[in-house]
Every structure is written in structure tokens, then in C-alpha cells.
Amino acid sequence: MSDLDVMNLFIIAGGTLAIPILAFLASFLLWPSALIKVYYWYWRRTLGLQVRYADCGGYRFCYSYRGKPGLRPSILMLHGFSAHKDMWLTVVKYLPKHLHIVCVDMPGHEGTTRTNTEDYSIQGQVTRIHQFVETIRLNRKQFHLVGTSMGGNVAGVYAACYPSEICSMTLICPDGIRHPCETKFDNHLQDLEHSNYTLNIPLIPTTPEEMEDMFRLCSHVRFKIPQQILQGLVDVRQPHNTFYQEVFMEIVGENSRYALQDHLHLITAPLQVIWGKQDQVVDVSGATVIAEMLPGCRVDLLENCGHSVVMERPCRTAKLILEFIILQQNARSGTKKSS
């Protein structure tokens, strides 16, 4: 082969490689929101999660799952306000692949049907999630329920309303508790109430700067996020901001704000509470409130961790959840043998 042929091969190879590289750079600079969607798709695929839809009476739930029901209980994961099922990817990464895991988009969020405010209150979300559980027949066996923030509020009320379906549960920095100590977000909430909700809601950012402020509020660990990615996150959320405002007004309303605390006395399933000690959204003193009302619950407080436990301490969170599930399953097996 002549030197010219070799040179031509290098040029062709270089050109072939340049196309995906240039495409990536263009996506990063011009369409960061598209890059974010590809990122979630890639991680779902890498972790073996499949996306499915469950239809029930004209209402559609979008969810991802991995594994099949087996010896260990299935795990249903409920995300927080304005998030989606993919927020659990960081935790799923550290859970055994044989576990049956289901991550659902909460009512109105991402791929799940958007209806009206009745479905966005905590009780409304509980009703819809129960509809989802029945549609995919997850409650053929008792399952482990996990919820964070708003999803923790929903999970707690769910366990109170449908105790026979839950074998154990994990609440991560759950909303819905009258915590004794105020947080930075509580101060924002008071300002919002005084302004009759005319001020911007810190959890609904509209600019890259506000997005960065939200990360600082929710996370104790400081992540360096490029401006393009911040813009992409704003672009992805922007079309849904009116919906987020509707949900926000419902969950801070009189019937939903302290729904979890109002239902704690009805929870019979073994309970694990995980909380970041530096949570600036829902104060960690809420863990003490729960422990006082349910003395048998297990409390795990994480040092140097804020409200975004799933993002800040994914490996630790997965390990704690798995340990608790195994502990409770062994306790049940021991009880059966002794009887």
C-alpha cells in the first residue's frame, strides 16, 4: 500500500471520527436539553432498565423496571416534586441486578398522564399510585416502598391507607412533617405566602442562575455544573413550569402539607428513615418527630448531606435500603419458624 493510500485512510478515519465528535459538541453547545435526554437513555440502557407504560381507564403511567419478582420483595420507588423516574438511576446502579425494581413517574410528571389538581394533592397522588400498583399487579405480593421528599409524603400516606400491601418502607427526607426547626426553604415559603405567591418559587427555576440556586438549596455537596447543562435543564423543565406551580400549590395546601404526620399513627409496616443532616429544604428534625411517633423505626442520618440524598449519597442510600430489606425479611422468616 502506498504512502498516499495510508494517508487517505487516516483522512477517512479522522473524518469518520470527527462526525460524532462534532455532533456531540453541537449538542452540548446548541441543544443541551437533547443531550440530557440521551444521557438518561444511555444510563437506563447500561443499567438494564426498560421503560413501559401501564394504561388504566384512559390514564397512562410511565415507569421503568428491572428484574422480576423473586425471593426478595419488589421495590417501588416514588420520586420528589418536579423530578421523574430517572432520578433513581444513581441508586439503582448500586442495587443487585436480580432485585425487581419499579420506578414510576408520579401523577402528571414526565410520561404519566397530566389531568387536574385533584390528582396532585398528596391523597390524590396516593389514589393514582394505588391504581398503578393494581394495574401492573405489583401487590400480588407485599412490596417494599421507597419515597423521597414529596414522594416520601405520598409513600407514608400510601402505607397508612393500604397497610396490607407493604412489607417494609424507606422514607428519604420526606415532606409532610411539622419539623421543629426552620430551614432556608421555610423562610422562602414564608416570603412566598406573604407575597401571595407572586414571587418566584425556588424549586421552579426559570434561568440557569436560578437552577444553580436550586442545586445549592437542595444539595450540601457542591457540584460544578457547566452553564450549558444548567441551560439544558432549564429548557427541559420550562414547558412544564405551569404544571409544577399547580402541583406546588396543592402540596403546600392545608390538606397536603402535613399529610404524612397526620397518617403516621396508621403506619404498621417496618419503617426506615434516611435523612441528610444538612437538609435545607425539609429539616432533619423531622426524623425525630417520626421516631417519637413510631418508636420502632430505624433512623439513618447522613453527615455532609443535604436534601438530595439520592444524588449526593447514592451508594450509601442503596446499601442502607438493601440492608433494611434483608433485615426485615430475615425477621419475618424467624417469626414464621418460631411459630
Side-chain angles (χ1 to χ4, degrees):
M1 186 180 289
S2 69
D3 290 345
L4 188 61
D5 290 336
V6 173
M7 184 61 70
N8 284 337
L9 277 175
F10 272 113
I11 291 169
I12 292 166
T16 305
L17 287 171
I19 291 169
I21 291 169
L22 288 172
F24 174 82
L25 289 172
S27 297
F28 181 70
L29 295 171
L30 302 176
W31 304 292
S33 58
L35 191 63
I36 289 164
K37 290 177 181 177
V38 170
Y39 169 83
Y40 286 129
W41 171 85
Y42 170 79
W43 274 110
R44 281 198 304 268
R45 188 178 175 88
T46 301
L47 296 175
L49 283 156
Q50 298 184 57
V51 175
R52 290 288 183 271
Y53 294 90
D55 294 294
C56 181
Y59 193 92
R60 170 171 277 197
F61 298 93
C62 181
Y63 67 102
S64 59
Y65 79 96
R66 187 175 77 182
K68 296 179 180 178
L71 295 175
R72 301 283 183 212
S74 297
I75 303 173
L76 174 61
M77 300 179 134
L78 308 182
H79 65 73
F81 169 74
S82 78
H84 46 75
K85 61 188 174 298
D86 292 329
M87 71 158 284
W88 294 108
L89 291 173
T90 52
V91 173
V92 171
K93 177 183 175 182
Y94 295 103
L95 289 171
K97 288 194 173 180
H98 66 268
L99 286 180
H100 181 223
I101 298 167
V102 179
C103 308
V104 64
D105 284 326
M106 298 295 279
H109 289 72
E110 195 76 4
T112 293
T113 300
R114 194 165 289 179
T115 51
N116 53 57
T117 53
E118 287 180 10
D119 281 343
Y120 309 149
S121 68
I122 296 302
Q123 190 60 57
Q125 293 192 61
V126 167
T127 302
R128 283 298 186 186
I129 293 301
H130 185 244
Q131 185 183 28
F132 168 71
V133 166
E134 291 201 311
T135 301
I136 68 166
R137 301 179 69 191
L138 188 65
N139 54 358
R140 281 180 295 179
K141 269 176 63 178
Q142 288 189 325
F143 58 91
H144 182 84
L145 184 58
V146 181
T148 184
S149 195
M150 177 192 78
N153 196 348
V154 174
V157 176
Y158 189 103
C161 293
Y162 305 102
S164 62
E165 297 185 0
I166 310 297
C167 62
S168 51
M169 65 184 304
T170 302
L171 302 182
I172 305 171
C173 303
D175 194 12
I177 297 292
R178 296 177 180 86
H179 41 268
C181 304
E182 286 191 346
T183 63
K184 190 174 179 181
F185 181 70
D186 289 323
N187 296 330
H188 282 303
L189 199 53
Q190 288 168 14
D191 292 340
L192 279 167
E193 288 168 347
H194 292 148
S195 73
N196 201 23
Y197 294 94
T198 56
L199 294 173
N200 282 353
I201 299 169
L203 300 179
I204 308 178
T206 57
T207 66
E209 292 73 28
E210 289 179 359
M211 179 64 71
E212 198 165 25
D213 289 341
M214 186 185 79
F215 278 120
R216 285 199 194 100
L217 177 69
C218 294
S219 174
H220 179 72
V221 176
R222 293 290 175 254
F223 297 97
K224 288 185 178 179
I225 304 172
Q227 190 74 6
Q228 287 88 349
I229 296 298
L230 290 171
Q231 183 63 59
L233 291 167
V234 170
D235 293 343
V236 167
R237 293 167 59 100
Q238 193 81 43
H240 311 290
N241 280 352
T242 301
F243 160 71
Y244 294 149
Q245 287 169 355
E246 290 176 359
V247 176
F248 184 82
M249 295 305 293
E250 281 298 315
I251 62 177
V252 300
E254 187 179 352
N255 294 329
S256 293
R257 186 177 291 193
Y258 304 118
L260 174 57
Q261 186 158 345
D262 294 341
H263 287 78
L264 279 177
H265 67 286
L266 297 173
I267 294 176
T268 56
L271 171 63
Q272 173 187 45
V273 176
I274 302 174
W275 219 302
K277 281 191 174 183
Q278 283 72 37
D279 194 332
Q280 296 185 84
V281 179
V282 186
D283 193 75
V284 67
S285 58
T288 305
V289 174
I290 296 173
E292 286 175 352
M293 292 188 71
L294 297 171
C297 83
R298 168 175 167 172
V299 176
D300 292 295
L301 304 183
L302 306 185
E303 296 282 354
N304 301 314
C305 183
H307 188 65
S308 301
V309 170
V310 171
M311 185 170 68
E312 297 178 71
R313 295 284 185 274
C315 181
R316 180 71 175 143
T317 301
K319 186 179 178 184
L320 288 171
I321 291 171
L322 188 59
E323 281 177 0
F324 186 70
I325 289 173
I326 293 171
L327 183 69
Q328 296 307 317
Q329 194 173 27
N330 289 344
R332 287 192 297 274
S333 299
T335 303
K336 286 177 183 176
K337 286 177 184 177
S338 61
S339 61

